[in-house]
């Protein structure tokens, strides 16, 4: 089966462990043979996309409870929320690899690599959550990441602009703040969580870089100005406001230009 159709099959799986296994096997078996660049999408393919378990119950971002990391329950809820982001991130990477016909081969390979890394992140966090006596699904989760995928499903430029280089990039800003709190908690489980977040932060710089690279490639192909077109997309799809403090170092590593970093601090 074409790797992009395997990505669709993995995207439809509802069981997290099965999705992780299928995603990891897909990337491991990708090999060096050229991928056929024939279109793979047909209408009606969106049935069952994305596959996700019945739990966590999905709620709006406003209804997700407060998570003080200073209690064991609060820390479990915090880890669960990041685990939920990683589960969604597997789906969004598989979706990028499957949905958009007509891109160069590297585009598909890079998104399948991202999916593999998201599957690793989910696995690390889920194991940690289980050590804390909980499982994925024990708390609620919100749907911000996938709903942006939905809104941008017909526009690959908007998808690259708003999912990896907006929503995933917010993770670059948020992770050091979460780590600082966990360090203050100063328990073995909090330190273990910090170490997992180090791995995630390192990999996420790469994911945002992939978003930046393809966003620029698409802007060039379509004759769009990356900065002014970003503003158009940001408003059109009501992307969440970007909030300081920004992790400027990680963002620069992920390929944001000086001009983009300056625009960020001007709001
Ligand atoms: Fe991740
Ligand atoms: Fe990511």
């Amino acid at each position: 089966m074409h790797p992009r159709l395997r990505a669709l099959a993995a995207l439809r799986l509802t069981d997290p462990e099965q999705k992780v296994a299928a995603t990891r096997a897909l990337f491991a078996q990708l090999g060096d043979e050229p991928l056929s660049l024939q279109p793979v999408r047909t209408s009606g393919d969106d049935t069952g996309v994305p596959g996700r378990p019945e739990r966590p119950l999905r709620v709006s971002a406003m209804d997700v409870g407060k998570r003080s990391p200073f209690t064991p329950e609060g820390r479990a809820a915090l880890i669960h929320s990041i685990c939920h982001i990683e589960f969604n991130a597997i789906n969004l990477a598989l979706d990028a690899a499957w949905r958009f016909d007509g891109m160069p081969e590297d585009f598909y390979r890079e998104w399948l690599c991202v999916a593999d890394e998201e599957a690793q992140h989910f696995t690390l966090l889920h194991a940690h959550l289980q050590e804390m006596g909980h499982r994925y699904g024990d708390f609620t989760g919100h749907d911000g990441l996938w709903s942006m995928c939905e809104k941008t499903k017909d526009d690959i430029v908007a998808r690259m602009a708003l999912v990896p280089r907006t929503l995933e990039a917010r993770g670059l800003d948020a992770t050091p703040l979460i780590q600082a709190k966990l360090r203050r908690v100063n328990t073995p489980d909090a330190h273990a969580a910090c170490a997992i977040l180090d791995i995630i932060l390192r990999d996420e710089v790469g994911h945002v870089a992939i978003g930046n690279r393809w966003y620029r490639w698409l802007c060039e192909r379509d004759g769009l100005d990356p900065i002014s077109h970003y503003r158009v997309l940001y408003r059109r799809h009501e992307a969440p406001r970007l909030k300081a403090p920004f992790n400027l170092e990680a963002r620069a590593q992920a390929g944001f230009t000086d001009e983009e970093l300056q625009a960020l601090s001007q709001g």
Side-chain angles (χ1 to χ4, degrees):
M1 199 194 293
H2 193 293
R4 289 178 58 209
L5 290 175
R6 283 182 69 184
L8 172 61
L11 177 58
R12 284 179 172 147
L13 291 171
T14 56
D15 178 75
E17 308 299 333
Q18 283 179 18
K19 189 186 294 280
V20 163
T23 301
R24 301 226 55 198
L26 168 53
F27 183 66
Q29 292 159 14
L30 203 50
D32 301 328
E33 268 163 54
L35 293 187
S36 144
L37 293 177
Q38 289 298 313
V40 300
R41 281 206 65 198
T42 48
S43 61
D45 274 357
D46 270 282
T47 321
V49 169
R52 47 194 173 188
E54 269 169 41
R55 283 176 173 271
L57 293 179
R58 289 188 295 280
V59 295
S60 82
M62 319 279 263
D63 294 330
V64 174
K66 278 245 178 286
R67 289 146 180 159
S68 161
F70 293 94
T71 63
E73 189 73 2
R75 283 200 294 290
L78 173 69
I79 298 303
H80 185 277
S81 70
I82 310 173
C83 210
H84 181 61
I85 290 171
E86 299 297 345
F87 181 80
N88 276 290
I90 304 173
N91 282 339
L92 80 84
L94 292 170
D95 192 80
W98 158 65
R99 185 176 298 276
F100 300 106
D101 287 331
M103 292 296 285
E105 179 170 347
D106 278 353
F107 176 86
Y108 305 111
R109 286 188 181 275
E110 287 176 16
W111 281 106
L112 292 174
C113 175
V114 173
D116 182 64
E117 290 179 356
E118 305 296 16
Q120 294 174 48
H121 298 168
F122 176 83
T123 303
L124 286 168
L125 287 166
H126 196 205
H128 182 62
L129 185 64
Q130 288 173 82
E131 277 165 27
M132 298 173 83
H134 287 278
R135 287 192 64 76
Y136 181 50
D138 283 359
F139 300 87
T140 54
H142 75 83
D143 208 21
L145 213 43
W146 187 261
S147 67
M148 190 54 85
C149 286
E150 246 342 93
K151 287 200 250 181
T152 55
K153 67 181 180 186
D154 298 317
D155 180 358
I156 185 176
V157 188
R159 173 67 65 87
M160 291 300 112
L162 298 177
V163 176
R165 66 192 294 286
T166 300
L167 298 184
E168 287 196 273
R170 287 169 99 209
L172 304 183
D173 304 326
T175 305
L177 305 177
I178 298 171
Q179 287 179 304
K181 267 193 206 163
L182 288 169
R183 278 190 207 103
R184 281 206 298 280
V185 171
N186 200 19
T187 58
D189 70 280
H191 287 296
C194 267
I196 297 172
L197 290 175
D198 276 338
I199 298 170
I200 292 180
L201 183 55
R202 179 201 65 198
D203 292 346
E204 292 303 327
V205 168
H207 302 176
V208 178
I210 287 168
N212 266 323
R213 174 159 123 76
W214 290 108
Y215 176 66
R216 281 189 225 302
W217 187 90
L218 288 158
C219 283
E220 199 163 315
R221 184 193 72 178
D222 298 349
L224 298 162
D225 174 69
I227 293 198
S228 60
H229 191 60
Y230 179 73
R231 281 194 208 106
V232 170
L233 295 170
Y234 185 86
R235 277 196 291 265
R236 180 182 299 159
H237 296 289
E238 298 172 326
R241 242 182 83 77
L242 294 169
K243 275 190 277 194
F246 300 109
N247 187 344
L248 294 175
E249 198 188 325
R251 282 177 173 268
Q253 270 176 32
F256 284 102
T257 62
D258 288 345
E259 201 183 340
E260 283 165 336
L261 295 176
Q262 271 162 21
L264 213 51
S265 21
Q266 286 152 11

